Amino acid sequence: MTGRKSRNCLFSRQCFAVAGLTVDTGKNKLKFKVAKADIERALAWKNGEFRFNRLDIKGIMRQIARWYDVSIEYRGNMDNIYLSGVFSRKSEVGQMLDILEATGAVHYQLEGNKIIVSTK
């Protein structure tokens, strides 16, 4: 999208969609936050990629769980583990997990249809 597009908004007020920005209304829908859009991340899914930019490990594992139809179990404190990277969605799950483990931040174990993620 280029330029500015007019839209009807909450309570019939007019607002504008502006290229390169995103609006998050949150849970209550009465307040909103405008931020610069992460275009690369938004297009990554369409382009067959997982793209993480300082995303917490639980967010990364949520995407992996959804794509590979597996469950995730966490062992240990996963707070403050943020990783960045780009992976093809054509990769086997084990390949992705090996790379995540090579960061030294986490260890994984596969048990059937479950991935157990633990801190090192």
Side-chain angles (χ1 to χ4, degrees):
M1 176 188 338
T2 59
R4 187 170 87 159
K5 305 286 184 189
S6 177
R7 299 281 187 259
N8 288 330
C9 292
L10 192 62
F11 306 118
S12 299
R13 293 183 184 153
Q14 189 177 36
C15 63
F16 296 92
V18 179
L21 296 179
T22 185
V23 177
D24 182 10
T25 58
K27 292 180 182 176
N28 69 12
K29 306 279 186 210
L30 296 177
K31 295 180 182 179
F32 60 91
K33 180 176 85 173
V34 177
K36 184 177 177 184
D38 185 348
I39 303 298
E40 286 183 347
R41 184 169 169 236
L43 292 175
W45 194 259
K46 179 186 92 52
N47 294 334
E49 299 174 333
F50 292 104
R51 182 175 292 270
F52 314 120
N53 185 16
R54 288 206 34 82
L55 184 61
D56 64 275
I57 191 67
K58 288 185 178 181
I60 292 170
M61 296 310 297
R62 253 191 318 274
Q63 290 186 39
I64 289 172
R66 185 173 59 222
W67 183 251
Y68 293 101
D69 194 25
V70 295
S71 63
I72 309 293
E73 179 181 319
Y74 299 99
R75 295 183 182 165
N77 184 358
M78 299 293 147
D79 295 342
N80 300 317
I81 299 176
Y82 296 89
L83 300 171
S84 300
V86 180
F87 300 96
S88 170
R89 286 197 327 248
K90 295 177 184 175
S91 300
E92 292 183 21
V93 69
Q95 292 174 314
M96 289 185 61
L97 295 172
D98 287 343
I99 293 169
L100 292 175
E101 188 172 57
T103 66
V106 294
H107 173 72
Y108 80 91
Q109 180 179 346
L110 285 171
E111 287 186 4
N113 204 34
K114 177 169 61 173
I115 300 170
I116 299 168
V117 182
S118 57
T119 53
K120 282 201 163 187

